[in-house]
Structures are given as structure tokens and as C-alpha cells.
Amino acid sequence: MTDRIKNRQMNRKYKTPSIQKILTVLLGIFIILLGISLWSRSHPIEAHAPSPAIDENSTEETNSSEPLPSELTEPSSVTVLVDKYHSLPADYVPSDLAEPYVNSTGEVIQVSAKAADSLKELINAANEAEIPIYLTGGYISYDTQEDYYLARAKLVGEAEASKTTPKAGYSEHQTGLAVDFSNEPTGLGISASFAETDTGKWLYAHAHEYGFILRYPEGKESITGYSYFPWHYRYVGKDIASAMYEKSPDLTFEEYFNIAN
Ligand code: ZN
């Protein structure tokens, strides 16, 4: 028993300095690691010293995304931009709504007075060319657009609805400058095949002469955010519509005004 106690005491005496040594070594390692850590922390800060380059980049980005000119943002402007990223105020109603009453399929189809006379000219010209043409859509109010979107989303889901139906405030029809055409008096069941009808072909070739552009051309979905709608035209005025058509019949509003969405 006595021997065992002595052995334990000896072991303790033997172990105690060993733990102190280990602690001392660990403390040394800790101090070295702390030193490296502090140095490496200070080092990247120095490396970031020429960070004004990053600031310059961010300044350039700010400069390149200057606010759009008022001709594209003023709701009553004939070239107001309305797309998936640019909306109209919920309470915006064109102050100059007129009723063309020309070959329209609905009870009353209203458009902005800015577009009404040109729209009548277009329809008369089509009639003279013996092209069947009917107006199926014009001004749509914010609230009605909201109903359309919610009904569509309920039917096909939000993801699918967003490809074809703008949310309230994001429809060009709220400007009173967008119109939908049909080759049939009912105007029902319109699809992309409308482009192959005489009416679709005539509009594609002549709408610009009356200040209207094909707003959602084929193959431009990534720019406009919407599918190909060969029946949807937008009034922008004869000068701009003709300038756009000369560049390309499929040039989008976004491309013409250099808008990066
Ligand atoms: Zn439309």
C-alpha cells in the first residue's frame, strides 16, 4: 500500500511538470497563431488598398443606369414605356380616352385620342385593301387588368400566367395606346397563327405607316418578356414607328430606346 502511494505521488510529481510544459508549448503555439492571424488580417486590408477601382466600377454602373427620360416615364407620353419592369400608377387613367367605334368587336373600345385618328386611318386603309380587320381590345383599366391576371393565374398558375398576362399596372393597354386586332368579327380564339392571315400580314407590313408597332415580335421574348403576340400593336407615332420599321419590322421598343431590362 505504502509503495503504491509513493508511486502515485512520484507519478504526480512526474506528471505535473509535464502538464506545465504542455501548457507552455500550447500557449506558445497560441501566441504564434494569434500573431499569424493578426498579420493575415492586416495583410488583405492592405491588398484592398487599391479598392477605389471597385468604387469606380460601381460609379460607372450608377452612371449607366441613369433615370429614363420623361418621354419614356410620363404616363401620358406617346412613348411611355410599360413592360414587365416598368409600370403605370394604379390610379392612372388617360384623360383623353376616345371611342373609335370602327369595326370593333366589343361594346365600346376606347383608346387615347392621340392614337384614335391614326387607328381609324389604319382600319379604313385595311378596309380599302379588302382586308378583314376588327378591333378587339384597347384601353384596359388597372382594376380590369388585375381581374384578368388573377383569373389567368388561377387557371394556369402564376409562372405561366406571367408569360402572357401582365399584372395590374404592367399592361400597355392601360395607356390607351395599345390595341388588339382580329380577322374575325367575334375576335375569339386568337393565336400566333393570326400572323399567317391576310390581316396579320397586312398589319405587319403597314401598321407603321399609321404609327403602330408590333410590340411583341417573334423571337424577342427575352427582351420584351412576353410571348409572340402578332395581334397586339402599340401606337408610338408615325415618325418613331417608321424609323423602327426601317431598322427592322421586328425591332422592339426596348431595343429602339436602348433600354436594358
Ligand atoms: Zn393586347
Side-chain angles (χ1 to χ4, degrees), residues 7 33 42 54 58 64 76 87 100 142 151 157 165-167 176 180 191 197 201 206 211 232 235 241 246 248 250:
N7 279 344
L33 287 175
S42 66
I54 294 166
S58 60
S64 67
S76 63
S87 61
Y142 182 96
T165 311
K167 288 182 177 176
D180 297 323
S191 72
T197 66
K201 288 176 187 170
H206 297 285
H232 178 111
Y235 185 77
E246 273 173 33
S248 163
D250 289 330

Side-chain angles (χ1 to χ4, degrees), residues 137-138 140 171 173 178-180 216 229 231-233:
I140 299 175
S171 169
H173 284 283
V179 285
D180 297 323
Y216 305 112
F229 294 158
W231 60 87
H232 178 111
Y233 281 77

